[in-house]
Amino acid sequence: MSIPTMISVTGLARTFSTKTGPVEAVKGIDFRVYENEILGLLGPNGAGKTTTLRMISTLINPTAGEAVISGADLRRDPRGVRSRIGYVAQGGSTNEEELVLDELMLQARLFGLSKVRARANAEALLAALDLDGLGGRKCKQLSGGQRRRVDIALGLVHQPNLIYLDEPTTGLDPQSRANLWEHIRSLRERGTTIVLTTHYLDEADALCDRILVMDHGEIVAEGTPDELKRRISGDVISLEIAPELVARAVEVADSALDLRSQLTESGTVHLTVEQGESAVIPLLHALQGAGIVPGSLTIKRPSLDDVFLTVTGRSLRDGDQS
Ligand SMILES: Nc1ncnc2c1ncn2[C@@H]1O[C@H](COP(=O)(O)OP(=O)(O)OP(=O)(O)O)[C@@H](O)[C@H]1O
């Protein structure tokens, strides 16, 4: 059974005119988002992530391309798109002096909800996002993590089944980030489809079902975190071997496994294979048959940074500093 598509994007592009000439922020990308998944757009500053989100939210017009969002056509039915999505901008949009509950109710009323529905939705979201009892506080009196959760509540108060989160955890301390990840996962469990942007590798890895890696306005890789790591780099099995047996161990490993590459240091052999776990038993068998007993064995799955480096030739962390 195929999973229904929530977003379908074809040839989406946006060029900005600037004093110094045109900037091709997004260069004709295609992608799908499936119902009830968390899709991550991962890439360094300036990759085109926010521009993509802004286009599929109707906030800016594409220069070219088409998109259908939860059944509504981006160009022909922008109102329909807006009613079906929640958009949480970078840095949020709460009004410092307003009370949290008033902000939520105002937002719901802007979407045409009755007072009673607006209050009911706002209160349900405050409870769901662990903000009980904070409805009477001013937004400026909240912690960074609480404020991000109010931002998310604002995006959800009209009950869309799709939400866009632009860099949801930027600026939060590690504990608040982990806590927000939990809340984002629980939204998905309640049936919301989530598209988020991030330049944090660990965030994309921990949170996303699928990732589109963006660089210079293009999608340069796509897959689940595991698929991306495997497809692009493979797993590395490292074995501690007595130095005089290293050469023999590599020969044995080469005949037992489909090796992608190998590297030896004195006393250590690094073997790159497509899938580490399934290679371990045949490898140990073959080594045992040759009378070689490794001192230790570790499997290292490559990080998303390795993936980014492989597809773009640059580290994602270099991009972070730009
Ligand atoms: N309004 C605009 N006018 C001109 N250029 C723009 C405009 N908005 C974005 N750009 C340019 O388009 C490119 C993509 O920007 P975008 O904000 O989409 O990147 P991003 O991946 O979201 O980056 P970040 O992680 O910093 O948010 C950048 O080169 C940016 O300078």
Side-chain angles (χ1 to χ4, degrees):
M1 202 181 67
S2 65
I3 306 167
T5 301
M6 182 61 95
I7 300 179
S8 163
V9 166
T10 322
L12 202 65
R14 172 71 198 218
T15 301
F16 292 106
S17 309
T18 69
K19 280 186 188 149
T20 51
V23 176
E24 284 185 88
V26 177
K27 299 177 182 166
I29 55 172
D30 303 322
F31 65 89
R32 276 167 189 261
V33 182
Y34 299 101
E35 234 172 58
N36 210 216
E37 74 173 341
I38 304 181
L39 179 91
L41 300 176
L42 172 74
N45 293 131
K49 307 179 299 289
T50 300
T51 305
T52 302
L53 274 197
R54 289 169 67 82
M55 284 193 282
I56 60 173
S57 320
T58 78
L59 288 171
I60 56 172
N61 287 325
T63 317
E66 306 292 331
V68 179
I69 288 133
S70 190
D73 187 282
L74 186 66
R75 289 182 188 275
R76 272 173 241 122
D77 185 14
R79 262 166 180 264
V81 172
R82 280 195 287 276
S83 68
R84 288 164 167 84
I85 62 165
Y87 179 81
V88 181
Q90 252 175 59
S93 48
T94 46
N95 183 341
E96 298 272 296
E97 296 298 331
E98 281 295 334
L99 300 182
V100 170
L101 186 64
D102 291 351
E103 275 282 84
L104 287 169
M105 286 189 58
L106 176 69
Q107 181 77 2
R109 300 280 283 151
L110 285 175
F111 275 95
L113 271 65
S114 70
K115 236 181 180 168
V116 173
R117 268 286 295 290
R119 178 175 283 272
N121 285 5
E123 282 175 351
L125 278 166
L126 288 176
L129 288 162
D130 259 348
L131 293 164
D132 310 78
L134 296 181
R137 274 218 204 153
K138 286 187 179 175
C139 295
K140 68 176 184 189
Q141 296 168 322
L142 300 175
S143 72
Q146 288 167 340
R147 195 184 277 222
R148 281 318 263 160
R149 300 208 298 279
V150 172
D151 290 332
I152 293 175
L154 282 169
L156 287 171
V157 79
H158 57 295
Q159 295 185 305
N161 50 11
L162 173 61
I163 187 159
Y164 305 148
L165 307 174
D166 198 357
E167 294 189 12
T169 64
T170 298
L172 296 184
D173 59 75
Q175 206 185 337
S176 308
R177 284 180 79 210
N179 174 280
L180 196 63
W181 289 352
E182 275 309 306
H183 284 290
I184 293 172
R185 286 192 198 103
S186 74
L187 293 178
R188 194 258 309 270
E189 266 145 42
R190 294 189 311 153
T192 310
T193 305
I194 296 152
V195 180
L196 60 87
T197 72
T198 182
H199 36 104
Y200 296 124
L201 296 156
D202 59 339
E203 181 157 287
D205 204 358
L207 202 51
C208 298
D209 300 311
R210 219 152 48 82
I211 296 170
L212 307 179
V213 184
M214 286 193 80
D215 192 33
H216 296 306
E218 292 175 302
I219 295 170
V220 292
E222 176 179 350
T224 64
D226 269 358
E227 269 169 9
L228 281 177
K229 287 186 260 181
R230 225 164 245 157
R231 193 167 70 214
I232 298 172
S233 310
D235 292 345
V236 178
I237 303 177
S238 299
L239 301 158
E240 250 181 85
I241 305 274
E244 67 279 11
L245 294 176
V246 161
R248 176 76 186 122
V250 171
E251 258 175 44
V252 171
D254 198 20
S255 56
L257 303 176
D258 191 5
L259 288 187
R260 287 192 176 177
S261 64
Q262 72 224 24
L263 184 76
T264 57
E265 295 171 87
S266 74
T268 314
V269 176
H270 304 283
L271 306 167
T272 306
V273 294
E274 185 177 333
Q275 218 270 334
E277 285 91 345
S278 59
V280 167
I281 290 177
L283 175 65
L284 289 178
H285 260 291
L287 289 172
Q288 198 180 28
I292 301 171
V293 182
S296 71
L297 181 151
T298 54
I299 302 176
K300 181 184 168 275
R301 189 148 293 158
S303 70
L304 280 173
D305 196 33
D306 296 326
V307 173
F308 194 80
L309 189 65
T310 311
V311 292
T312 67
R314 291 181 298 114
S315 164
L316 192 55
R317 294 196 179 89
D318 300 341
D320 256 2
Q321 280 136 35
S322 65

